[in-house]
């Protein structure tokens, strides 16, 4: 058996009093530490986060590192509800009906002062009708209510009801088509297509706002 010298590390025969190389007294090696039977602690996957400290002052400038506090990593995140954007024809109907009525009320104010293709069609059927009377206002509300039902269903089926830009664009296209049909039937140019595009855009935007703000509680 050989014993390593604690000073130089050379091996000496067991029982020798001094090291043959450096002459230092040979000291018996300390006994090995006892083996612990306790289970090792489980690794904490968030331990690294607990070690992150925020120092109020720089230690190099005289700050006291012992006054550091643990950093709240959750404070940098804000929990928000995920908006529900899925829509169907039923959602389009419930938003399109009030949107059509609101658009009809706005268009009643327009037809109080202007004559468009819808007014001309009504007067062709009823020549004695007042161009700006209550009957024209009734036709206006009915027309926009039907247009609201069609645009609402289209937006619901295409799942565009909760997207204002896409919904307004689709509504403008459908409104222009409906206005173009009126212009073709009246035969007075195609100004009705432009009015219909604005009418459809407004209606679709209102339907989108009603669905997201009123029925879905969006912000």
């Amino acid at each position: 058996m050989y014993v390593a010298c604690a000073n130089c590390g050379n091996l000496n025969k067991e029982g020798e009093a001094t090291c043959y190389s450096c002459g230092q007294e040979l000291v018996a090696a300390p006994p090995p530490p006892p083996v612990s039977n306790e289970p090792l602690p489980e690794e904490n996957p968030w331990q690294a986060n607990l070690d992150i400290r925020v120092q109020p002052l720089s230690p190099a400038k005289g700050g006291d590192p012992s006054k550091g506090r643990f950093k709240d990593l959750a404070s940098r995140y804000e929990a928000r509800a995920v908006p529900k954007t899925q829509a169907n024809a039923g959602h389009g109907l419930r938003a399109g009906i009030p949107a059509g009525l609101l658009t009809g009320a706005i268009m009643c104010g327009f037809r109080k002062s202007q004559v468009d293709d819808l007014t001309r069609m009504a007067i062709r059927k009823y020549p004695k009708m007042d161009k700006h009377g209550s009957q024209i206002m009734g036709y206006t509300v009915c027309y926009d209510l039907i247009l609201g039902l069609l645009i609402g269903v289209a937006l619901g089926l295409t799942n565009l009801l909760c997207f204002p830009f896409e919904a307004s664009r689709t509504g403008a296209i459908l409104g222009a088509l409906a206005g173009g049909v009126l212009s073709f039937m009246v035969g007075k140019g195609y100004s009705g297509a432009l009015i219909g595009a604005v009418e459809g855009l407004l209606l679709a935007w209102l339907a989108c706002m009603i669905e997201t703000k009123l029925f879905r509680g969006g912000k």
Side-chain angles (χ1 to χ4, degrees):
M1 294 292 293
Y2 292 90
V3 178
C5 176
N7 182 45
C8 64
N10 288 311
L11 297 179
N12 297 270
K13 291 183 178 181
E14 187 177 7
E16 295 290 338
T18 59
C19 176
Y20 78 92
S21 177
C22 64
Q24 294 292 331
E25 182 181 0
L26 294 176
V27 181
V35 179
S36 175
N37 295 326
E38 295 182 1
L40 296 176
E42 295 184 4
E43 183 180 358
N44 183 5
W46 303 105
Q47 185 63 39
N49 293 343
L50 299 179
D51 293 337
I52 299 177
R53 293 176 179 269
V54 177
Q55 303 295 340
L57 297 173
S58 173
K61 297 181 180 181
D64 187 359
S66 64
K67 294 182 179 179
R69 56 183 174 82
F70 288 111
K71 186 175 183 180
D72 183 11
L73 297 180
S75 62
R76 69 179 69 178
Y77 303 104
E78 180 181 357
R80 292 182 180 179
V82 179
K84 298 179 180 179
T85 57
Q86 296 296 325
N88 53 40
H91 297 147
L93 285 175
R94 73 180 183 183
I97 291 175
L101 294 175
L102 289 174
T103 305
I106 296 173
M107 294 304 296
C108 282
F110 170 77
R111 292 190 176 99
K112 275 283 187 181
S113 58
Q114 299 291 331
V115 175
D116 65 347
D117 291 339
L118 181 64
T119 304
R120 295 187 184 98
M121 277 195 63
I123 291 177
R124 279 189 178 183
K125 186 173 183 181
Y126 303 103
K128 296 182 179 181
M129 182 185 299
D130 185 3
K131 294 181 179 180
H132 308 292
S134 59
Q135 287 180 298
I136 292 296
M137 303 304 110
Y139 278 115
T140 297
V141 173
C142 291
Y143 173 78
D144 283 304
L145 180 59
I146 295 173
L147 187 61
L149 292 174
L150 295 176
I151 291 179
V153 171
L155 294 178
L157 291 177
T158 55
N159 197 26
L160 297 178
L161 190 58
C162 298
F163 303 93
F165 178 78
E166 291 80 1
S168 300
R169 181 179 58 190
T170 302
I173 295 173
L174 295 177
L177 291 176
V181 172
L182 287 177
S183 297
F184 178 77
M185 295 175 66
V186 173
K188 292 289 184 178
Y190 291 95
S191 61
L194 179 60
I195 297 174
V198 176
E199 194 171 1
L201 185 148
L202 176 62
L203 197 156
W205 183 83
L206 286 174
C208 182
M209 292 298 104
I210 290 171
E211 177 65 22
T212 55
K213 305 294 184 180
L214 180 61
F215 293 113
R216 305 194 183 212
K219 295 182 180 180

